Amino acid sequence: MSANNAPQPVKLSLPLEYQQQLFQELRAEDELVVIAKGLGLMRLVTNLLHSYDAAGNNLIIVIGAEDRENAWIGEALAESAAVSMAPKARGLTVVNTDFTSVAAREKMYAKGGIYSITSRILVVDLLTSLLDPETITGVILLHADKVIATSLEAFILRVYRQKNKNGFLKAFSDNPDPFTIGFSPLSTMMRNLFLRKASLWPRFHVTVASSLEGKKKAEVIELEVPMTDAMGDIQTAIMECVEVSIHELKKGNTGLEMDDWNLDSALLKNFDIMVRRQLDPNWHRVSWKTKQIVSDLTVLRSLLHSVLALDCVSFLQHLDTIHAAHSPQPGTTRQTQSPWLFLDAAHTIFETAKRRVYSSNAKPDAKSTIDSLRPVLEEQPKWALLAEILEEIDRDLYFDPPMRDDSNGTILIMCSDEATTRQLRDYLQTMHVEPKTENDAKQNREEHKSSANFMMRRRLRNYLNWKKEFAQVSNALLAENQKALEGAVDPRIAQGAYKGRAPANKRRRVRGGGASGTAPGRAANGSVAQYFEKPNEVADLMDEVRITEEEAANQKADIVADPLEDMDDWFELYEMQDLVVIHAYDGDQDEHVLEEIKPRYIIMYEPDASFIRRIEVYRSSHNDRNVRVYFMFYNNSVEEQRYLATVRREKDSFTKLIKERASMSVVMTVDAHGVEDPQEAFLRTVNTRIAGGGRLAATAQPPRVVVDVREFRSSLPSLLHGRNMVIVPCMLTVGDYILSPTICVERKSISDLISSFKDGRLFSQTETMFQHYKNPMLLIEFDQNKSFTLEPFADLSGNLKSVNPNEGPSDLQSKIVLLTLAFPKLRVIWSSSPYQTAEIFEGLKTQQDEPDPVAAVRAGLDKDMKAEDQAFNLEPHEMLGVVPGVTPKNLKSLTLKTENIRDVANLTESELAALIGKEAARQVYGFFNRNLIDVDD
């Protein structure tokens, strides 16, 4: 298959029909490709890039690639170039913050090639014409689902499309969900991307289905694993807690769109983010209880995963830490416990989790006093099944050796995370080690029955040691708090009336009447109490799981320095068919794993929809690689529900997209292919406001704004550009935005404003603005999706009443007042969102002359020197700027007279005084020579 403009044939690695069809489509026209996860998006991108790379005379920009995608593309292009023997191919060059030299970048762009550039560098290079948009052959955008109207990527595409009419633009995404949220989301997204055609490739696409469901299907064995009764009980109890929490949220926050707040959507990954996003605008107004429930939902949802993934001992340890984190400190009177800890279901979770690890032997004559604890150590049902599968594979290989083919005999086990890989590795290494105990003789055990007994006993020993330390820490905290309470101001607390219990008349009533205490296992206020085993119980348990001879023999020796002299005797490469590889799911990288390991057997320890597709693509792409897949999941579990919900959600998303595309009108990409009509441009520059001494003016050039390069983190430059202003990026020393020769604006988001007040940076910035500009302004910009009020930031400024009751509710307002008292001529602009800021800037620029970028850069630099000669290294410069005593004025003399920060730190006080004056020298010297240990210094 030859590429359109390549002089010689290019070898592509796209064996499947749908891949070839999509490639041909992409070569022919610009489009947005939305493809289902697992269908080989990166392979398609690398082949497309190779077809352009082999031609050799292209300049292609890749936007939005992550580090590992860059590594993948670079490797694939080098490999393809070698296979195709393309002499002109140059591979991928990654341009990130390491490439700081402007001259080096200019040379690179002139040569051409394929460049993956970070968005912030690219937007500045395009605006400064370091990279001329007209010389770009085309742009390839990854993760198109993340592009919104205010993002840097949308800004880059706008600049590119305004100046380059012929270059291609292809966008890719493997996540259909964001394209289905909101009003006509697909056409909005297409407008942001300046594209007119969308190409959708779900798994149920006819071509994809026929490509993957041919003769070369993988053999799949589905295994439903029943959960143990205890696991089922815990899962049901957690679900009940989640349901009650969601109900409480709905009850406390009426007036929000809550159709999606139900148990089904609570199983999805981003449910808590969705809830938080809806509550965000009024976050400062919601009750403490609501905030607590939102954080509890995250914890409860992690527990749903943990009960299936962790072994019983690790799960109990996890529960202990959660309980400790969600309970008030021992001895305090604050009632700030999580509401779910008061439910009966919570009691069930904690009790059942304990019962899975150990149970009690009660003496028949005593009244339920626990005599001793014996270990139960319930194993995860999947472990035994995994051992069975491995035995079955061994039998198959022995009695029915497979035909020789291209796949290795490797067994690949895939699971969800690194913790599970470690757990499975431990289990497989120790499942045949049997610790002999006294009752072994009585039981006629089957020989070679695999068991996790050894691993679980070791984990229980570690847990008991951990719990002992945990109890000591807890007791120490309790003692400290009791001391603090005894010396407290409140006389009621000092008298001890509240120690651990409410007064008699304030106790909670319990159904059933009668003077009732608290239920066993519950604290005085009705929440689940933390259980600490008694020393004699721990001693019995430890005795039960003490290290036996077999276990001692299997303990790993201490690590010592190895001279590595006899490596050949001890180390060798295993044969591939002897390997069992345990790997965690890792997105696109899993394709590499399959290609490199070439497994014959794949055990999916946990379900993952995209990995199933990767296996289908892998099997269909290779005629001679047979694969057998064991697909394990817990029956009637959250794991199964989550898997089915993910598949259903993706299918629904694609269905919505297909419907919207069918009824969508042609997306008019705003001035995508052509510059503004000259007449329109002239009319826009005519200022008709001639009242009040104004003048009728028609300036041929559009309005210009000088912007500091560090400001491209925000969306404001993009919005200003959208209002037909020319953006000139410069390295400014004074201000962030220069609107005219007299107007200079320092932009602060709220969090930035608080930190600037804390370190005193804002005061010196305002001072320098007044030195160089007639009308300095401070712009305080709020987030578009949050409330336009300073209330929610009271706690950020560090003086919330609950933290320090002696202080006022917020000192942010008072600091702003102090600033305006110090600089009466400083104008403060309040803006509710970047959109409003752009509008304000447009208003401020009317009747004003255009700013001079060279003068803007020179402001704050030394008068005698040229701006380009003063290329200070930015990070140390900024670092030195925040040292007490260093001001923008004396910073220059320090930077010019010393080599680096170390030199400044090593100067004596008298040497510093000669450079920056006595008072400043004393502060700087004191800062660098302060004793870190003696805090009072």
Side-chain angles (χ1 to χ4, degrees), residues 101-112 125 129-131:
S101 160
V102 173
R105 289 210 300 273
E106 196 168 16
K107 276 183 195 164
M108 275 168 28
Y109 296 146
K111 282 185 202 161
D125 286 354
S129 296
L130 185 72
L131 168 57

Side-chain angles (χ1 to χ4, degrees), residues 358-363 366 368-375 464 468 471 531-545:
Y358 52 75
S359 65
S360 56
N361 288 335
K363 278 187 182 174
S368 73
T369 53
I370 293 175
D371 176 38
S372 65
L373 297 174
R374 59 183 178 77
L464 291 172
K468 203 191 298 174
Y531 178 70
F532 288 108
E533 297 82 358
K534 297 177 186 67
N536 60 335
E537 296 168 6
V538 175
D540 289 336
L541 258 181
M542 280 301 252
D543 202 42
E544 283 273 356
V545 293

